[in-house]
Amino acid sequence: MHRVVLWPSGLRFSADPGTDLLSAAAQAGVAVPAACRNGVCEICEARLRSGEALNTRNQREISIGERLMMCRTHALADLELEITAVMAAGNNQPRKVQAKVVDVRSISHDVYRVELEIPRRRELSFHAGQYLSVNLPDADPCYFSIASSPSAQNIELHIQASPDWVSAQKVIDALTSGQDVTLELPHGKACLASAPEKPVLLVAAGTGFAQMKSLVDYLRETSFNHPIKLYWGVRKHEDMYLRTLAQQWERDWPPFTFLPVVGDDEDNDWGGHHDQLVRAVLASGMDWQNVEVHASGSPTMVYTLMDALIEAGLPQAAFFSDVLEYAPR
């Protein structure tokens, strides 16, 4: 296997000598723009900075500084390529787009699944785990995690709406099938632009599951085969609105383990600091020196979890959450 580094993003992946670079990147979860996959559209164009590579169209070795099509190139040694179309995690620039509401349906007593269609979807890129804003007229932007993989044709949201969640309820009330809505995306730094090369721990509270669904859908499309555990904490059983989906992942995908944590399993005292969820995570038996953690939930939950894991030995750089960006302490 040869190592391939893309610049300026710094993303890395491994390429077998018999696999074209575009396919190898896809197996690692690195999104390289492409269309035809036979070297004609030239969308996957890169430039060779160092190493040895073969043009499979004419069986000619590519010279340093020469442009190449990743779909028609095999690595003969470790490579460095220049390709500005590939972004590092969280570096995509947000922009406003018009989307059409395809479907809005209730999937629990207070959670709705929203499906949105974006014209010219191929031209819009985001990373697994990022979020967007729904911009209604005469209202502040309302932010929601994207629950779908970056490769999905439509965008999926999970919106918790009730009289207690005024802004979210306003969004649900405004969205009807066939209607257009303004979005701004993508946002967020706690995301994946390539598959990690170590085990992954996902921790969600409530509708924080939406972000985890995006990450899981994305990793299942790659060659990722390290252990991956999902802890999902809720107050009551009925709050775990897609429990059967998480159970299906566990049945179908060998690396994946689902561990639900429900407050009313014991004394119905969830607690302001989500201590039950944090205790369950700490008891997982993972090697905290060799794991990547993604957490989604309230700032209280996220910081309680982060502090506990760092004390247990997790390097702070291995902990990712949007809370660290929008609610710094």
Side-chain angles (χ1 to χ4, degrees), residues 18-329:
T19 302
D20 67 84
L21 297 182
L22 185 62
S23 297
Q27 290 169 11
V30 177
V32 177
C36 69
R37 301 190 65 86
N38 61 15
V40 175
C41 72
E42 301 189 351
I43 295 177
C44 65
E45 178 183 324
R47 194 169 299 277
L48 183 64
R49 290 177 45 149
S50 68
E52 300 174 11
L54 180 71
N55 182 328
T56 59
R57 182 181 294 279
N58 55 23
Q59 299 300 306
R60 180 180 61 81
E61 189 167 329
I62 298 167
S63 302
I64 301 298
E66 185 179 350
R67 73 181 191 125
L68 56 86
M69 303 304 138
M70 292 182 65
C71 64
R72 303 294 297 184
T73 302
H74 286 188
L76 301 177
D78 290 350
L79 304 178
E80 291 192 9
L81 306 178
E82 182 178 341
I83 177 167
T84 58
V86 176
M87 295 288 188
N91 280 6
N92 335 56
Q93 290 302 306
R95 61 190 180 96
K96 288 186 177 180
V97 298
Q98 290 296 115
K100 186 174 293 295
V101 180
V102 175
D103 187 46
V104 180
R105 67 179 61 188
S106 173
I107 55 175
S108 81
H109 64 288
D110 64 352
V111 176
Y112 294 81
R113 179 187 180 276
V114 176
E115 184 179 352
L116 303 168
E117 179 183 303
I118 297 177
R120 304 170 69 90
R121 174 67 179 86
R122 186 190 297 273
E123 298 176 7
L124 177 70
S125 64
F126 64 90
H127 291 136
Q130 291 195 288
Y131 60 95
L132 56 72
S133 69
V134 175
N135 297 356
L136 300 178
D138 303 318
D140 292 334
C142 202
Y143 294 91
F144 304 102
S145 291
I146 300 171
S148 41
S149 165
S151 67
Q153 183 60 38
N154 290 346
I155 300 289
E156 178 182 343
L157 307 177
H158 301 164
I159 298 180
Q160 186 175 24
S162 70
D164 296 330
W165 299 79
V166 177
S167 59
Q169 186 65 58
K170 184 180 295 187
V171 170
I172 290 298
D173 292 342
L175 299 181
T176 56
S177 295
Q179 176 188 346
D180 288 337
V181 63
T182 301
L183 310 176
E184 184 176 270
L185 71 160
H187 295 283
K189 305 292 185 184
C191 55
L192 292 177
S194 61
E197 296 182 337
K198 56 184 173 181
V200 171
L201 176 67
L202 307 177
V203 185
T207 51
F209 175 80
Q211 183 181 24
M212 303 308 152
K213 179 180 178 298
S214 176
L215 295 173
V216 171
D217 284 351
Y218 163 76
L219 288 175
R220 291 185 70 189
E221 297 166 357
T222 73
S223 57
F224 182 82
N225 60 4
H226 297 282
I228 174 170
K229 294 184 178 182
L230 167 64
Y231 284 83
W232 187 7
V234 295
R235 293 175 182 271
K236 300 177 181 296
H237 284 279
E238 57 265 33
D239 295 333
M240 198 163 284
Y241 55 90
L242 284 178
R243 183 176 188 140
T244 56
L245 176 62
Q247 291 170 333
Q248 187 68 43
W249 290 337
E250 186 170 42
R251 287 193 295 270
D252 294 346
W253 192 28
F256 182 81
T257 304
F258 173 48
L259 299 120
V261 180
V262 183
D264 64 7
D265 276 347
E266 295 179 359
D267 57 6
N268 202 31
D269 181 14
W270 180 244
H273 293 282
H274 304 278
D275 290 332
Q276 184 182 353
L277 178 58
V278 173
R279 287 198 304 270
V281 172
L282 286 172
S284 67
M286 301 194 78
D287 176 6
W288 299 118
Q289 292 292 325
N290 184 42
V291 66
E292 181 168 310
V293 179
H294 290 258
S296 183
S298 70
T300 299
M301 184 279 280
V302 168
Y303 282 116
T304 301
L305 175 68
M306 183 179 74
D307 291 344
L309 293 183
I310 290 174
E311 184 177 349
L314 179 77
Q316 187 163 351
F319 186 92
F320 298 89
S321 175
D322 289 319
V323 166
L324 308 184
E325 182 182 355
Y326 72 76
R329 62 182 181 185

